[in-house]
Amino acid sequence: MERVRTAVLISGRGSNLQSLIHARHEPDYPAEVVLVISNKADAGGLVIAEQAGIPAKVIPHKQFASREEFDAAVDAALREADVSLVCEAGFMRIHSEWFVKRWEGRILNIHPSLLPAFSGIHVHEQALAAGVKISGCTVHFLTAELDSGPIIAQAAVPVLPNDTAETLAARVLEQEHKLYPEALRLVASRKVTLENGRAVFPLIRNRDP
Ligand code: GAR
């Protein structure tokens, strides 16, 4: 089986990268991580890539005069590796519009909240401050706006009375590690596609009116 060549963009720890790499051990998994790109030279995820024998590239955003030039370097690396899908996993940079357009429908992001609630940073602090009783994580197609875009999959967790941002983050992260490989499976096997700004599941028939 030919697996869809997938790149993962990171900025830090790389635990979601790890779960995406690990998915290759599942039978018939339709995607394979063939390239890791980090905008930070000290990202922990680079070690994970090395241990898994996956080529990793550091493209430090600070070396570029503009967002566009940085994105052009990322785009060139993705093309050079003949990548078809891109997963952002804790990649803390906003892309330029042309980059998002170029990869439209082929670039995913994971965010540790039930979007559209609590985008941006300090997500778990935001959830605790709002007093929500349920939080979770979202995988969505990337759009030019931060942490928005058509939703592919979500998982929910309870928010417990004594939660801190750290305990809630850990509970959500456990779900992220299951959700992201499943969302990538759906996209790589074309069970979900981006059409007219919506995530469409062609195998699920609309209910008759
Ligand atoms: C994850 O919790 C991910 O959802 C979040 O960063 C963390 C990265 O952890 N992403 C965002 O907040 C995007 N807005 P990891 O490096 O261990 O995968």
Side-chain angles (χ1 to χ4, degrees):
M1 182 192 56
E2 187 106 343
R3 298 185 190 221
V4 179
R5 295 175 65 79
T6 303
V8 181
L9 269 51
I10 61 166
S11 298
R13 181 178 53 185
S15 71
N16 277 290
L17 164 67
Q18 175 84 74
S19 74
L20 292 169
I21 292 173
H22 187 76
R24 69 182 168 189
H25 299 299
E26 287 175 30
D28 298 330
Y29 195 75
E32 181 169 22
V33 180
V34 296
L35 175 68
V36 174
I37 296 177
S38 172
N39 65 318
K40 297 230 169 130
D42 60 354
L46 292 168
V47 178
I48 293 173
E50 196 190 333
Q51 284 169 352
I54 295 167
K57 212 172 173 133
V58 177
I59 306 181
H61 62 275
K62 286 187 180 156
Q63 282 180 10
F64 296 86
S66 68
R67 201 176 286 285
E68 281 72 17
E69 283 170 51
F70 170 69
D71 278 347
V74 173
D75 184 62
L78 295 172
R79 285 166 180 271
E80 196 181 294
D82 195 20
V83 154
S84 297
L85 286 177
V86 181
C87 290
E88 305 217 328
F91 182 69
M92 297 312 213
R93 301 289 307 163
I94 297 173
H95 290 292
S96 40
E97 258 178 58
W98 75 263
F99 180 91
V100 176
K101 197 90 206 135
R102 194 196 264 291
W103 288 93
E104 192 174 59
R106 298 183 295 149
I107 184 163
L108 322 184
N109 181 44
I110 189 159
H111 183 75
S113 75
L114 292 175
L115 290 172
F118 316 132
S119 61
I121 56 171
H122 305 307
V123 174
H124 305 295
E125 286 86 347
Q126 289 186 58
L128 291 175
V132 293
K133 301 298 174 231
I134 295 172
S135 192
C137 49
T138 303
V139 177
H140 62 92
F141 285 113
L142 196 88
T143 57
E145 268 174 66
L146 181 69
D147 300 325
S148 78
I151 291 171
I152 298 164
Q154 292 184 306
V157 302
V159 179
L160 302 178
N162 293 326
D163 264 338
T164 61
E166 288 71 34
T167 59
L168 179 55
R171 195 175 306 120
V172 171
L173 193 64
E174 213 182 306
Q175 294 305 313
E176 291 187 48
H177 296 160
K178 294 178 189 159
L179 189 71
Y180 214 174
E182 279 317 304
L184 176 59
R185 178 200 287 280
L186 290 174
V187 176
S189 57
R190 301 197 58 78
K191 291 196 173 108
V192 58
T193 56
L194 182 68
E195 280 170 40
N196 301 322
R198 293 195 70 85
V200 175
F201 295 76
L203 296 179
I204 301 176
R205 280 194 303 141
N206 284 338
R207 209 180 302 152
D208 291 332

